[in-house]
Amino acid sequence: MKTRRIFGSERYFDVLVYTLLVLWGAAILFPLLYVLMTSFATEKEYLTRGFFIIPKEWTMDAYLYLMGNDSFAQSFMNAVVITAVGTAISISVTTIMAYGLSKKWLKGRTLFNFLVVFTMLFSGGLIPTYLVVKEFGMIDTFWSLWLPGAVAPFYLIVMRSFFSSIPHELEESARVDGCGEWRMFFSIMLPLSKASIATFVLFYMVGYWNTYFSALIYLNDSNMWPLQVFLRQILVLNQSMDGSATLMEQVITYTPGAKMAAIVVSALPMMIIYPFLQKHFNKGMLLGSLKG
């Protein structure tokens, strides 16, 4: 009887867990479906029906408008450049720095590790950071988005722990064969850390793709604004990026579809890339989390 009660309680618990998961999944899925389907609906249907999942009349007007909007095309290309170059810079600096800090023979290693951890707890603040960026002449350049946040301290610590966990005997055998430091890094360390690198590439890509506040602070030229700032213009301010009356009228005319279509397009690239890196995600997060 006791065994039956135990199994019965486990069954009820499983039902409860699956019910909560279904409800939670629905709470996440329905808003996404609403945004996606509304982007294909007409403005009249959006205004008259309110909330709906399946539109009665399908149209591509919102996407055609976005494709013909020079401001959207420019901001999309800016986001692609910022993400691609920024991710390459960040993952390169992070891996090289993590590899160096993992070496016990490195002079000043303790100090540098302390400085990395220190930046996780304290920062200079917005105004001092802006002044530094301005003094280096990076205002109105993409470098203002790339260099100040090129290295994420947490990612660096995880990568450093991973490099430290690699058996020292492997390095010694490579050095016996005449392997130099750079050859060691590119031919041995990087292939062994593919999972971690793929994981942090994804994290850096998402961070750069969603760059918003930094672009508002450092980029005064609207032609350099990334996609997220464009979304702010049409979702919050409800105006075009160049402020012209013609484009502004077009945005207002296509307000329901343009907003939803812009959200869909802005989320689509990361949704396409994620499945290719997802297989490395779990393994990459665990590598370097524990040394042993």
Side-chain angles (χ1 to χ4, degrees), residues 222-254:
S222 61
N223 292 323
M224 302 185 67
W225 284 350
L227 186 59
Q228 304 304 323
V229 179
F230 174 83
L231 291 180
R232 173 181 177 268
Q233 296 301 110
I234 66 173
L235 296 178
V236 180
L237 302 182
N238 196 26
Q239 64 185 21
S240 62
M241 291 174 62
D242 60 2
S244 66
T246 303
L247 285 179
M248 185 175 178
E249 292 174 358
Q250 291 178 7
V251 171
I252 294 176
T253 302
Y254 289 90

Short mmCIF file of all heavy atoms in Angstrom, two decimals, residues 222-254:
data_model
loop_
_atom_site.label_atom_id
_atom_site.label_comp_id
_atom_site.label_asym_id
_atom_site.label_seq_id
_atom_site.Cartn_x
_atom_site.Cartn_y
_atom_site.Cartn_z
N SER A 222 22.06 59.21 -37.32
CA SER A 222 20.97 58.23 -37.45
C SER A 222 21.27 57.18 -38.51
O SER A 222 20.71 56.09 -38.47
CB SER A 222 19.66 58.94 -37.79
OG SER A 222 19.76 59.65 -39.02
N ASN A 223 22.15 57.48 -39.45
CA ASN A 223 22.51 56.50 -40.47
C ASN A 223 23.35 55.36 -39.91
O ASN A 223 23.55 54.35 -40.60
CB ASN A 223 23.28 57.17 -41.61
CG ASN A 223 22.42 58.12 -42.42
OD1 ASN A 223 21.24 57.85 -42.65
ND2 ASN A 223 22.99 59.23 -42.84
N MET A 224 23.84 55.49 -38.69
CA MET A 224 24.65 54.45 -38.06
C MET A 224 23.87 53.68 -37.01
O MET A 224 24.40 52.75 -36.41
CB MET A 224 25.90 55.07 -37.42
CG MET A 224 26.78 55.83 -38.38
SD MET A 224 28.31 56.41 -37.61
CE MET A 224 29.12 54.84 -37.30
N TRP A 225 22.63 54.05 -36.77
CA TRP A 225 21.85 53.38 -35.74
C TRP A 225 21.55 51.93 -36.12
O TRP A 225 21.21 51.64 -37.27
CB TRP A 225 20.53 54.11 -35.53
CG TRP A 225 20.70 55.38 -34.75
CD1 TRP A 225 21.82 55.80 -34.09
CD2 TRP A 225 19.72 56.40 -34.57
NE1 TRP A 225 21.60 57.02 -33.50
CE2 TRP A 225 20.31 57.42 -33.77
CE3 TRP A 225 18.41 56.56 -34.98
CZ2 TRP A 225 19.63 58.56 -33.40
CZ3 TRP A 225 17.72 57.70 -34.60
CH2 TRP A 225 18.33 58.69 -33.81
N PRO A 226 21.65 51.01 -35.16
CA PRO A 226 21.32 49.60 -35.43
C PRO A 226 19.83 49.36 -35.43
O PRO A 226 19.02 50.27 -35.19
CB PRO A 226 22.02 48.86 -34.28
CG PRO A 226 22.03 49.86 -33.16
CD PRO A 226 22.20 51.20 -33.80
N LEU A 227 19.45 48.12 -35.64
CA LEU A 227 18.05 47.76 -35.81
C LEU A 227 17.22 48.04 -34.57
O LEU A 227 16.05 48.43 -34.67
CB LEU A 227 17.94 46.28 -36.20
CG LEU A 227 16.56 45.75 -36.56
CD1 LEU A 227 15.96 46.53 -37.72
CD2 LEU A 227 16.63 44.27 -36.90
N GLN A 228 17.79 47.82 -33.40
CA GLN A 228 17.03 48.01 -32.17
C GLN A 228 16.63 49.47 -31.98
O GLN A 228 15.56 49.76 -31.41
CB GLN A 228 17.83 47.52 -30.97
CG GLN A 228 18.29 46.08 -31.06
CD GLN A 228 17.14 45.12 -31.29
OE1 GLN A 228 16.05 45.31 -30.77
NE2 GLN A 228 17.38 44.08 -32.08
N VAL A 229 17.46 50.39 -32.42
CA VAL A 229 17.10 51.81 -32.32
C VAL A 229 16.00 52.14 -33.32
O VAL A 229 15.12 52.96 -33.04
CB VAL A 229 18.35 52.69 -32.56
CG1 VAL A 229 17.99 54.17 -32.48
CG2 VAL A 229 19.43 52.36 -31.55
N PHE A 230 16.05 51.50 -34.48
CA PHE A 230 14.96 51.67 -35.44
C PHE A 230 13.63 51.21 -34.84
O PHE A 230 12.59 51.86 -35.01
CB PHE A 230 15.26 50.88 -36.72
CG PHE A 230 14.14 50.88 -37.72
CD1 PHE A 230 13.97 51.93 -38.60
CD2 PHE A 230 13.24 49.81 -37.76
CE1 PHE A 230 12.93 51.92 -39.51
CE2 PHE A 230 12.21 49.80 -38.67
CZ PHE A 230 12.04 50.86 -39.55
N LEU A 231 13.66 50.08 -34.13
CA LEU A 231 12.44 49.60 -33.47
C LEU A 231 11.94 50.63 -32.46
O LEU A 231 10.74 50.83 -32.31
CB LEU A 231 12.71 48.26 -32.78
CG LEU A 231 12.97 47.06 -33.69
CD1 LEU A 231 13.22 45.82 -32.85
CD2 LEU A 231 11.80 46.83 -34.62
N ARG A 232 12.85 51.24 -31.76
CA ARG A 232 12.45 52.27 -30.79
C ARG A 232 11.74 53.42 -31.49
O ARG A 232 10.75 53.95 -30.97
CB ARG A 232 13.68 52.79 -30.05
CG ARG A 232 13.41 54.00 -29.14
CD ARG A 232 14.69 54.45 -28.46
NE ARG A 232 14.46 55.63 -27.65
CZ ARG A 232 14.59 56.89 -28.08
NH1 ARG A 232 14.96 57.10 -29.34
NH2 ARG A 232 14.38 57.90 -27.27
N GLN A 233 12.22 53.79 -32.66
CA GLN A 233 11.63 54.91 -33.38
C GLN A 233 10.18 54.63 -33.77
O GLN A 233 9.33 55.50 -33.66
CB GLN A 233 12.44 55.20 -34.64
CG GLN A 233 13.86 55.66 -34.38
CD GLN A 233 13.92 56.93 -33.55
OE1 GLN A 233 14.33 56.89 -32.40
NE2 GLN A 233 13.49 58.02 -34.12
N ILE A 234 9.90 53.41 -34.22
CA ILE A 234 8.54 53.13 -34.71
C ILE A 234 7.64 52.56 -33.62
O ILE A 234 6.42 52.66 -33.73
CB ILE A 234 8.57 52.19 -35.92
CG1 ILE A 234 9.07 50.80 -35.54
CG2 ILE A 234 9.41 52.77 -37.04
CD1 ILE A 234 8.97 49.78 -36.65
N LEU A 235 8.21 51.97 -32.57
CA LEU A 235 7.39 51.39 -31.52
C LEU A 235 7.10 52.39 -30.41
O LEU A 235 5.98 52.44 -29.87
CB LEU A 235 8.07 50.16 -30.92
CG LEU A 235 8.26 48.97 -31.85
CD1 LEU A 235 8.98 47.84 -31.12
CD2 LEU A 235 6.93 48.48 -32.39
N VAL A 236 8.08 53.18 -30.04
CA VAL A 236 7.93 54.09 -28.91
C VAL A 236 7.66 55.51 -29.39
O VAL A 236 6.67 56.14 -29.00
CB VAL A 236 9.19 54.06 -28.02
CG1 VAL A 236 9.04 55.02 -26.85
CG2 VAL A 236 9.44 52.65 -27.51
N LEU A 237 8.55 56.03 -30.25
CA LEU A 237 8.40 57.42 -30.70
C LEU A 237 7.44 57.56 -31.86
O LEU A 237 6.97 58.66 -32.15
CB LEU A 237 9.76 57.99 -31.09
CG LEU A 237 10.82 57.97 -29.97
CD1 LEU A 237 12.10 58.60 -30.48
CD2 LEU A 237 10.31 58.68 -28.73
N ASN A 238 7.19 56.44 -32.59
CA ASN A 238 6.25 56.43 -33.71
C ASN A 238 6.65 57.45 -34.78
O ASN A 238 5.85 58.23 -35.25
CB ASN A 238 4.83 56.72 -33.22
CG ASN A 238 3.79 56.34 -34.28
OD1 ASN A 238 4.03 55.49 -35.10
ND2 ASN A 238 2.64 56.99 -34.23
N GLN A 239 7.95 57.43 -35.14
CA GLN A 239 8.40 58.33 -36.18
C GLN A 239 9.54 57.67 -36.94
O GLN A 239 10.12 56.70 -36.49
CB GLN A 239 8.88 59.66 -35.62
CG GLN A 239 10.10 59.54 -34.72
CD GLN A 239 10.47 60.86 -34.09
OE1 GLN A 239 9.65 61.76 -34.02
NE2 GLN A 239 11.70 60.99 -33.67
N SER A 240 9.82 58.20 -38.12
CA SER A 240 10.90 57.66 -38.94
C SER A 240 12.24 58.14 -38.40
O SER A 240 12.32 59.11 -37.67
CB SER A 240 10.73 58.08 -40.40
OG SER A 240 10.80 59.50 -40.49
N MET A 241 13.30 57.46 -38.82
CA MET A 241 14.62 57.77 -38.29
C MET A 241 15.17 59.08 -38.83
O MET A 241 15.94 59.75 -38.17
CB MET A 241 15.58 56.62 -38.60
CG MET A 241 15.26 55.36 -37.83
SD MET A 241 16.27 53.96 -38.31
CE MET A 241 17.90 54.54 -37.88
N ASP A 242 14.76 59.46 -40.03
CA ASP A 242 15.28 60.71 -40.57
C ASP A 242 14.32 61.87 -40.34
O ASP A 242 14.61 63.00 -40.70
CB ASP A 242 15.56 60.55 -42.07
CG ASP A 242 14.31 60.18 -42.85
OD1 ASP A 242 13.23 60.07 -42.25
OD2 ASP A 242 14.44 60.02 -44.07
N GLY A 243 13.14 61.59 -39.75
CA GLY A 243 12.21 62.64 -39.39
C GLY A 243 11.46 63.25 -40.55
O GLY A 243 10.77 64.25 -40.37
N SER A 244 11.56 62.73 -41.75
CA SER A 244 10.86 63.31 -42.90
C SER A 244 9.38 63.04 -42.79
O SER A 244 8.94 62.00 -42.31
CB SER A 244 11.41 62.72 -44.20
OG SER A 244 11.12 61.34 -44.28
N ALA A 245 8.59 63.95 -43.27
CA ALA A 245 7.15 63.84 -43.13
C ALA A 245 6.61 62.67 -43.94
O ALA A 245 5.68 61.99 -43.50
CB ALA A 245 6.48 65.14 -43.58
N THR A 246 7.18 62.43 -45.11
CA THR A 246 6.67 61.36 -45.96
C THR A 246 6.82 60.01 -45.29
O THR A 246 5.87 59.24 -45.19
CB THR A 246 7.41 61.36 -47.32
OG1 THR A 246 7.26 62.63 -47.92
CG2 THR A 246 6.85 60.29 -48.23
N LEU A 247 8.03 59.71 -44.82
CA LEU A 247 8.25 58.43 -44.16
C LEU A 247 7.45 58.33 -42.88
O LEU A 247 6.97 57.27 -42.51
CB LEU A 247 9.74 58.25 -43.87
CG LEU A 247 10.62 57.90 -45.08
CD1 LEU A 247 12.06 57.77 -44.64
CD2 LEU A 247 10.15 56.62 -45.73
N MET A 248 7.32 59.45 -42.19
CA MET A 248 6.56 59.43 -40.95
C MET A 248 5.11 59.08 -41.22
O MET A 248 4.50 58.30 -40.49
CB MET A 248 6.65 60.80 -40.26
CG MET A 248 5.99 60.85 -38.89
SD MET A 248 6.27 62.43 -38.09
CE MET A 248 5.33 62.19 -36.59
N GLU A 249 4.56 59.64 -42.28
CA GLU A 249 3.18 59.31 -42.63
C GLU A 249 3.05 57.85 -43.01
O GLU A 249 2.07 57.19 -42.67
CB GLU A 249 2.73 60.20 -43.80
CG GLU A 249 2.59 61.68 -43.40
CD GLU A 249 2.29 62.54 -44.60
OE1 GLU A 249 2.24 61.97 -45.72
OE2 GLU A 249 2.10 63.75 -44.43
N GLN A 250 4.04 57.30 -43.71
CA GLN A 250 3.99 55.90 -44.10
C GLN A 250 4.05 55.00 -42.87
O GLN A 250 3.34 54.01 -42.80
CB GLN A 250 5.15 55.59 -45.04
CG GLN A 250 5.02 56.25 -46.41
CD GLN A 250 6.21 55.95 -47.29
OE1 GLN A 250 7.06 55.16 -46.93
NE2 GLN A 250 6.26 56.59 -48.44
N VAL A 251 4.89 55.35 -41.90
CA VAL A 251 4.99 54.54 -40.69
C VAL A 251 3.67 54.54 -39.95
O VAL A 251 3.19 53.52 -39.48
CB VAL A 251 6.13 55.06 -39.78
CG1 VAL A 251 6.09 54.38 -38.42
CG2 VAL A 251 7.46 54.82 -40.44
N ILE A 252 3.03 55.73 -39.86
CA ILE A 252 1.75 55.80 -39.16
C ILE A 252 0.69 55.02 -39.91
O ILE A 252 -0.15 54.36 -39.33
CB ILE A 252 1.33 57.28 -38.97
CG1 ILE A 252 2.33 57.98 -38.03
CG2 ILE A 252 -0.07 57.39 -38.42
CD1 ILE A 252 2.07 59.47 -37.86
N THR A 253 0.72 55.07 -41.26
CA THR A 253 -0.26 54.33 -42.04
C THR A 253 -0.13 52.84 -41.80
O THR A 253 -1.13 52.12 -41.71
CB THR A 253 -0.07 54.64 -43.53
OG1 THR A 253 -0.20 56.04 -43.74
CG2 THR A 253 -1.09 53.89 -44.37
N TYR A 254 1.09 52.35 -41.70
CA TYR A 254 1.33 50.92 -41.52
C TYR A 254 1.66 50.57 -40.07
O TYR A 254 2.33 49.60 -39.81
CB TYR A 254 2.50 50.47 -42.42
CG TYR A 254 2.17 50.46 -43.89
CD1 TYR A 254 2.38 51.57 -44.68
CD2 TYR A 254 1.64 49.32 -44.48
CE1 TYR A 254 2.10 51.56 -46.03
CE2 TYR A 254 1.35 49.29 -45.84
CZ TYR A 254 1.58 50.41 -46.59
OH TYR A 254 1.30 50.40 -47.94
#
